Amino acid sequence: MTRTREETCDMDDMILKVNHLSKSFGSHKVLKDIDFTVKKGDVTSIIGASGSGKSTLLRCINLLEIPTSGEVSFHGENILSRKGGAAAYRTKVGMVFQSFNLFSNMTVLENCMVGQTKVLKKNPEEAKEVAMKYLQKVGMAPYINARPRQLSGGQKQRVAIARALAMNPEVLLFDEPTSALDPEMVGEVLSVMRELAQEGLTMLVVTHEMAFARDVSNHVVFMRDGVIWEEGTPQEIFVNPQKEETREFLSRFMER
Ligand code: ADP
Ligand code: MG
């Protein structure tokens, strides 16, 4: 008998659990009975066609959408009933967006400090030290006084990643972090993400970068029409997919 991921997972290692999650907008069922788990150290890639519900799933996990039914739990606790509300939860489960979402009226350094001082209540000296550490890590330390509008897309996204890391999250969610970038800037962002994965950061990444999904993640989820159509290791999904639709999606994708 093969055991499911969940059965082979030590409870202490289980960070996020998505349980019978459904989400509708009006009569449109966008997510239908989604179940999956994120364990400590997992790098999960979510792939699938546009409109399949990937962003809505990530948004439910980040409390940007409220599920119609089912739940998301973080260390066994429903995220809707956790103490401290959304702001406290999002320090643990951070998110990086396709469109960067930096604060345009703040410098690079201020962007990476504000959450630490406002939400984590750190003093400015400590917040600055942590911000500098992560800005160095993503290669953006020389730009601390720049405003977002002065940066390229790749630079903005690296600042957004540093800002998320400065909150010391347990999990980082990425929603197509390279989709808004000019092609020549995709690599610099992916290489930062690859490094984070190698250091053991738990990541959940919606992406069309199939090479990243195949080479960096340990778990791949293929979504179609609001359901998890197939999931498995990169080997299982990319080399030996079981479902016709998975095969079709991948071959259509590779053609482009
Ligand atoms: P993906 O990220 O896979 O492209 P989304 O989760 O963004 O898919 O969207 C899935 C479906 O849900 C789409 O048909 C989209 O139009 C719809 N949708 C997403 N957000 C909303 C919303 N706030 N109101 C109504 N429909 C929405
Ligand atoms: Mg999307």
Side-chain angles (χ1 to χ4, degrees):
M1 192 185 97
T2 50
R3 298 199 298 163
T4 65
R5 272 170 54 79
E6 204 166 302
E7 284 163 344
T8 54
C9 173
D10 188 334
M11 276 310 284
D12 292 340
D13 282 350
M14 180 109 75
I15 300 183
L16 282 168
K17 186 161 159 49
V18 175
N19 204 2
H20 293 302
L21 179 76
S22 295
K23 175 70 183 177
S24 299
F25 294 107
S27 60
H28 184 189
K29 285 193 170 177
V30 171
L31 296 176
K32 305 163 194 166
D33 203 24
I34 301 274
D35 280 315
F36 79 97
T37 56
V38 174
K39 295 184 294 175
K40 192 171 166 42
D42 267 348
V43 178
T44 302
S45 291
I46 302 178
I47 62 173
S50 173
S52 57
K54 306 179 301 296
S55 292
T56 305
L57 175 58
L58 236 53
R59 291 171 60 82
C60 286
I61 294 173
N62 199 233
L63 278 177
L64 291 166
E65 300 285 358
I66 305 298
T68 306
S69 62
E71 63 172 45
V72 177
S73 53
F74 178 71
H75 292 293
E77 200 177 358
N78 186 331
I79 61 173
L80 287 173
S81 49
R82 275 184 97 245
K83 273 203 303 271
Y89 172 69
R90 291 187 191 125
T91 68
K92 301 288 181 190
V93 180
M95 184 137 157
V96 173
F97 300 88
Q98 181 176 341
S99 50
F100 325 119
N101 293 17
L102 294 174
F103 304 115
S104 57
N105 58 334
M106 294 183 192
T107 65
V108 163
L109 181 60
E110 287 163 350
N111 264 279
C112 295
M113 288 175 61
V114 63
Q116 298 186 71
T117 53
K118 291 259 156 57
V119 183
L120 299 177
K121 310 288 183 204
K122 286 192 196 166
N123 67 50
E125 293 72 33
E126 193 189 347
K128 183 175 177 184
E129 197 175 312
V130 172
M132 288 306 299
K133 173 177 143 187
Y134 290 109
L135 285 166
Q136 256 146 23
K137 185 173 187 63
V138 302
M140 288 302 291
Y143 298 87
I144 52 172
N145 296 317
R147 306 266 165 183
R149 66 169 180 279
Q150 299 171 299
L151 305 176
S152 72
Q155 291 173 329
K156 280 187 236 188
Q157 197 59 299
R158 286 186 284 141
V159 172
I161 292 171
R163 179 179 64 175
L165 291 170
M167 302 301 277
N168 194 25
E170 281 185 51
V171 186
L172 214 44
L173 314 175
F174 294 81
D175 191 359
E176 296 197 33
T178 60
S179 293
L181 302 180
D182 291 331
E184 69 270 25
M185 289 162 193
V186 170
E188 67 195 57
V189 171
L190 289 180
S191 81
V192 166
M193 291 172 64
R194 193 172 297 118
E195 191 179 324
L196 296 174
Q198 276 158 4
E199 290 169 4
L201 180 68
T202 308
M203 297 161 67
L204 186 54
V205 185
V206 172
T207 189
H208 294 301
E209 295 292 333
M210 294 301 149
F212 178 90
R214 187 190 60 210
D215 301 337
V216 182
S217 42
N218 66 312
H219 183 210
V220 180
V221 171
F222 171 55
M223 285 186 69
R224 183 182 152 96
D225 292 341
V227 303
I228 293 183
W229 206 266
E230 184 166 355
E231 67 181 312
T233 62
Q235 171 84 12
E236 285 164 342
I237 298 299
F238 288 102
V239 181
N240 195 20
Q242 299 299 302
K243 301 252 173 83
E244 186 56 39
E245 294 80 0
T246 313
R247 232 168 286 147
E248 265 167 28
F249 172 78
L250 290 172
S251 65
R252 237 180 311 132
F253 221 93
M254 303 308 179
E255 275 167 26
R256 269 196 276 160

